[in-house]
Amino acid sequence: MKFKLLILACLVCVSAAAQTSLGDMTLEEKARCVVGIERSEFPPTNKGFCARTAPFPKYGINSLVLADGSSGVRLSRREQDRATAFPSNMALASSWDTELVQKVGAAAGYEARGYDINVLLAPGMNIIRNPLCGRNFEYYSEDPVITGKMGAAFVDGVQSNGVAVSVKHFTCNNQETNRGHVNTVVGKRALRELYLKGFEICVREASPWTLMTSYNSLDGVPVQESYWLINGILRGEWGFDGLVMTDWSFVPHNTVAQIHAGNDFLTPGSADQVRDIIDGVNKGTLDMADLDRACSKVIQLGTRTWHGGSASAPDLTPGAEMSALAACEGAVLLENNGMLPLAGGKAALFGVRSYDLVAVGSGSAYVVSPHVIQINDAFRSAGISIDTELEDLYRKYVAFASADIAYNEKVKVSIGLPLLPELELRRSLIDKAADRDDYAVITLGRTAEEGIDRGLKGDYYLTDIEKTLISNICEAFHARGKKVAVVLNIAGIIETESWKHLPDAILNVWLPGQEGGAAVCDLLTGAANPSGRLAVTFPADYFDCPSALDFPYDKPEQGRNYDRTEYSEGIYVGYRYYCTKGVRVSYPFGYGLSYTSFDYSALKVRSTCKGISVSFTVTNSGPVSGREAAGVYVSAPSGGLDKPSGELKAFAKTRLLAPGESETVSVEIPASWLASFNEEAGKWQVARGQYVIHVGANVESPRLSAKIKRK
Ligand code: BGC
């Protein structure tokens, strides 16, 4: 309450401050106000990595510090400060738990504030359209409702500290290849229902204080110069009242068009842009009213965010606790033939990543954390005996290879790259381990980064060394009646269909953040019960994916999918495609196993003027406590616009249910979310007739269904 009053008071001051300062500011001052200051002008104490706004002390306007925040606060390279590395957004989304994501946002916001940062450049909210996008790990899901709800929860958490977010990258930035110039060609229906919907939910539900426009073009117009997208849709239709900033312009843009379209702050900022603005106003190509709007948004942001100056670095303990919890909640158990939870005995830990975990992704999402808990160390701390001969071998390899020039510490600390390649092991060595150990755990890893998309060979598909490692270890251990688990420590979707039958269990922890090793240990031993569910589909093969050919999978350097990418699959992205067209997948959207089981009962659906109310009861029918994630999917009446076989319209996660315990889940589906965008009519339309509501996490296996009529 107190905080809300403070914000209200700030808002009143904002408009007053904005009015007074604007009236007094010269053209040059206004131009400098809306362009970031050059890095050489940053004060030596600067903690944020990315950008600052210009200060105007005579008007009481402070400089604002902007820092990246996709996996936690990314601090200046000059500082030795550390911040908590949280699980990637893909992992957070797999928790299906918006309360958790709100708390992660609050923990990240608290650290940002403690480091005097005003704007955290997160969350990434682009739709996961294709498995190979280099930034998928920074995004939540192939589904806009999960994306929007997760984004809104994160925004709410960060902003509860008085720190602004920057929801990014608005919009259709679904590939990194030629991201600065690629022209994405997207039908209006797919644009509205998928690529804008998540942003819309977040803007309407959480009122982010800033948003970042993407580098790419949409239908021939650079998004950063699109008046229709920024002023028309974002501000006009959705009522966004915050500041719009550009993504970090490494490509020349039309400054005047960017401001006119609705950008209020140009990043990272250059003297040329200041000059362009002044010239634009003087020559009459830029309206003073546009510049005033932009300037007042910068001033407004300053009064919305917290200022103070922290005496000391923030306490990172709460962040570590939240990161550990989130790593467990976001992990998805993909296979388990009875091996897990582990029954005890000595572990053979294989794979470089068992000793050198990929905690966070690379690029602007990279966070230098105070520590990264390794899987081998976590096993030892939990009192589990591990094969020390294997440990010695891998440790030596990591130390030796890390000393290599290509892997020097400076590079690793700034961007987390490159990853050490997997180690090839002789069969005799594996056989000896299988003789002396009780079970094996193989950890496989992948990272990814902005500016480059993932490749097929050796990234989406396992490398030959990885394939041989899995098959040799499975053969050796199975021959002795011993089991094998694979842990996936990955930055995105990989191929699993061809090898998933080999091990006895597969646990996917994604990029789990700094506490990842402990989470793996807790989940494998049953100290935590996996409750994550996929918020993306794992196709059986890359080429089953609807956008397979309309994506730069073959690394073009010009032409198709480089200069121009057509989203020819329309609205049939992810499960909307696989389910509707009956394409078999490796793991469907919503899939995930648990150490317990859940019964669903008492589905009630009620049509109201606001939409559809849905309630149902989930009961833990198994032997141990656990949480269930439940999705509510809607199948629309046939006739009228073509519709996917089902679409997620709501979801919820139960509390921890003890064996035999039940929880009644109630969710509301807003009437407007039943609508599809009719391109010809240029408007949203709700189909009349019979809707079917399906309940259950896994999109392919609904647990309960009910019909309901909408007039
Ligand atoms: C990225 C943004 C990031 C910015 C600042 C850009 O290259 O696309 O996501 O916030 O750099 O680091």
Side-chain angles (χ1 to χ4, degrees):
M1 185 63 190
K2 247 189 197 162
F3 189 71
K4 284 203 172 138
L5 282 178
L6 190 72
I7 290 188
L8 198 67
C10 282
L11 287 178
V12 175
C13 302
V14 172
S15 19
Q19 296 275 307
T20 332
S21 334
L22 266 185
D24 297 341
M25 280 170 118
T26 63
L27 170 60
E28 197 205 320
E29 284 170 335
K30 287 180 188 173
R32 286 201 296 116
C33 180
V34 301
V35 175
I37 58 176
E38 303 216 19
R39 204 171 274 269
S40 55
E41 293 172 53
F42 284 11
T45 51
N46 185 62
K47 296 208 176 77
F49 192 79
C50 296
R52 295 183 75 110
T53 64
F56 295 94
K58 65 177 173 185
Y59 304 121
I61 297 173
N62 295 327
S63 172
L64 304 176
V65 184
L66 289 69
D68 270 310
S70 278
S71 309
V73 188
R74 185 169 191 234
L75 296 165
S76 161
R77 250 184 269 209
R78 280 170 294 182
E79 295 291 322
Q80 287 314 300
D81 301 318
R82 298 287 188 255
T84 301
F86 294 98
S88 64
N89 280 350
M90 235 177 162
L92 293 179
S94 306
S95 72
W96 289 52
D97 183 348
T98 49
E99 257 176 58
L100 174 90
V101 174
Q102 195 274 350
K103 286 183 190 152
V104 168
Y110 159 80
E111 290 182 15
R113 176 174 169 150
Y115 281 121
D116 300 331
I117 282 154
N118 306 88
V119 185
L120 199 61
L121 303 168
M125 292 196 56
N126 294 92
I127 288 292
I128 298 181
R129 167 178 178 257
N130 180 287
L132 301 184
C133 172
R135 297 190 87 168
N136 278 348
F137 71 92
E138 294 187 62
Y139 305 146
Y140 293 111
S141 175
E142 64 192 31
D143 180 84
V145 170
I146 294 250
T147 300
K149 289 282 183 183
M150 291 292 164
F154 185 84
V155 169
D156 197 47
V158 174
Q159 292 191 169
S160 68
N161 290 280
V163 172
V165 293
S166 189
V167 168
K168 65 190 188 184
H169 313 84
F170 179 81
T171 180
C172 296
N173 183 181
N174 309 99
Q175 74 178 56
E176 288 300 294
T177 304
N178 194 24
R179 63 176 170 161
H181 301 276
V182 63
N183 179 25
T184 54
V185 180
V186 189
K188 291 278 182 296
R189 180 167 178 201
L191 179 68
R192 293 282 188 161
E193 292 182 23
L194 301 180
Y195 301 101
L196 291 178
K197 194 71 193 174
F199 288 107
E200 179 182 358
I201 294 172
C202 180
V203 165
R204 289 192 193 273
E205 296 192 1
S207 304
W209 293 341
T210 94
L211 172 142
M212 191 188 291
T213 45
S214 59
Y215 290 126
N216 55 288
S217 292
L218 176 66
D219 293 330
V221 180
V223 169
Q224 299 185 354
E225 296 173 20
S226 173
Y227 187 89
W228 174 67
L229 277 172
I230 308 173
N231 261 314
I233 295 181
L234 176 68
R235 289 207 159 104
E237 291 184 24
W238 306 345
F240 177 77
D241 86 326
L243 170 146
V244 177
M245 69 177 75
T246 60
D247 197 348
W248 269 234
S249 300
F250 61 87
V251 284
H253 270 290
N254 181 333
T255 309
V256 164
Q258 285 175 316
I259 299 281
H260 173 67
N263 293 282
D264 307 303
F265 185 59
L266 307 184
T267 67
S270 71
D272 286 350
Q273 289 169 312
V274 173
R275 211 169 312 118
D276 286 348
I277 293 171
I278 296 171
D279 285 354
V281 173
N282 286 337
K283 288 182 189 149
T285 51
L286 179 65
D287 260 357
M288 187 57 116
D290 285 335
L291 181 57
D292 282 349
R293 179 217 69 237
C295 210
S296 67
K297 290 291 173 189
V298 176
I299 297 167
Q300 178 195 52
L301 178 64
T303 52
R304 281 180 161 178
T305 73
W306 178 83
H307 295 276
S310 316
S312 56
D315 176 9
L316 302 185
T317 326
E321 284 167 11
M322 194 44 66
S323 184
L325 178 66
C328 283
E329 295 285 324
V332 185
L333 183 62
L334 298 175
E335 298 287 340
N336 186 16
N337 71 2
M339 175 183 183
L340 304 178
L342 293 170
K346 188 171 164 199
L349 299 180
F350 290 99
V352 177
R353 308 272 78 87
S354 290
Y355 306 87
D356 188 19
L357 193 82
V358 195
V360 287
S362 191
S364 56
Y366 191 72
V367 174
V368 184
S369 55
H371 59 251
V372 172
I373 297 191
Q374 302 300 337
I375 298 175
N376 62 322
D377 292 332
F379 266 58
R380 187 168 281 113
S381 313
I384 302 170
S385 147
I386 61 172
D387 185 323
T388 49
E389 279 181 50
L390 278 180
E391 187 183 43
D392 276 356
L393 173 81
Y394 277 107
R395 274 194 172 159
K396 278 190 190 128
Y397 170 69
V398 171
F400 174 77
S402 304
D404 190 294
I405 225 135
Y407 191 70
N408 75 62
E409 201 45 22
K410 255 199 197 132
V411 177
K412 196 180 179 206
V413 162
S414 335
I415 57 168
L417 279 175
L419 284 191
L420 291 181
E422 193 47 79
L423 189 58
E424 201 167 351
L425 295 184
R426 277 197 314 275
R427 178 63 197 253
S428 57
L429 191 146
I430 296 173
D431 283 331
K432 281 189 196 144
D435 282 337
R436 62 179 180 250
D437 302 325
D438 297 305
Y439 61 90
V441 174
I442 313 168
T443 310
L444 300 180
R446 293 284 183 277
T447 192
E449 62 174 317
E450 68 182 84
I452 179 167
D453 289 308
R454 294 172 56 215
L456 282 176
K457 200 160 173 261
D459 191 344
Y460 175 78
Y461 297 112
L462 297 191
T463 62
D464 291 341
I465 293 182
E466 289 170 331
K467 283 187 218 158
T468 314
L469 198 66
I470 296 180
S471 59
N472 281 348
I473 293 171
C474 288
E475 242 176 63
F477 278 73
H478 289 165
R480 293 161 178 81
K482 298 173 180 177
K483 296 198 168 180
V484 180
V486 170
V487 172
L488 297 179
N489 171 205
I490 50 179
I493 301 161
I494 62 165
E495 189 274 326
T496 49
E497 182 70 7
S498 67
W499 59 269
K500 66 180 183 185
H501 59 283
L502 294 176
D504 303 278
I506 304 178
L507 175 70
N508 175 14
V509 296
W510 303 109
L511 301 177
Q514 66 181 46
E515 311 293 319
V520 169
C521 180
D522 285 352
L523 291 158
L524 293 181
T525 56
N529 186 354
S531 64
R533 305 287 185 261
L534 294 177
V536 289
T537 308
F538 276 53
D541 186 73
Y542 173 77
F543 291 98
D544 290 342
C545 166
S547 58
L549 301 180
D550 289 317
F551 188 86
Y553 71 97
D554 52 357
K555 310 258 170 205
E557 284 173 12
Q558 57 178 20
R560 181 175 178 193
N561 301 328
Y562 185 87
D563 300 314
R564 181 177 192 278
T565 299
E566 195 164 334
Y567 290 21
S568 58
E569 72 284 0
I571 55 163
Y572 291 100
V573 170
Y575 71 85
R576 285 170 167 75
Y577 169 76
Y578 302 111
C579 292
T580 312
K581 312 285 176 195
V583 177
R584 201 176 52 83
V585 300
S586 188
Y587 296 112
F589 180 86
Y591 175 88
L593 304 173
S594 165
Y595 297 148
T596 190
S597 52
F598 297 95
D599 282 347
Y600 282 66
S601 59
L603 173 60
K604 292 191 189 103
V605 294
R606 204 162 50 88
S607 189
T608 67
C609 53
K610 286 195 188 143
I612 300 178
S613 303
V614 181
S615 76
F616 52 95
T617 301
V618 177
T619 305
N620 182 347
S621 53
V624 291
S625 297
R627 301 183 70 195
E628 172 69 329
V632 178
Y633 298 90
V634 173
S635 302
S638 52
L641 290 179
D642 191 31
K643 298 267 193 174
S645 56
E647 293 183 285
L648 187 83
K649 295 296 176 189
F651 61 94
K653 183 106 180 231
T654 67
R655 62 174 187 275
L656 189 71
L657 298 175
E661 203 182 344
S662 298
E663 180 174 331
T664 295
V665 173
S666 302
V667 292
E668 301 291 326
I669 302 172
S672 61
W673 289 16
L674 299 175
S676 298
F677 192 79
N678 185 329
E679 293 189 357
E680 272 166 30
K683 59 180 186 196
W684 291 94
Q685 284 175 347
V686 180
R688 293 199 187 134
Q690 185 168 275
Y691 284 79
V692 187
I693 313 294
H694 306 281
V695 173
N698 177 343
V699 67
E700 283 187 359
S701 320
R703 307 292 298 275
L704 298 171
S705 300
K707 292 178 179 157
I708 190 165
K709 276 223 161 85
R710 296 279 306 173
K711 288 185 196 134

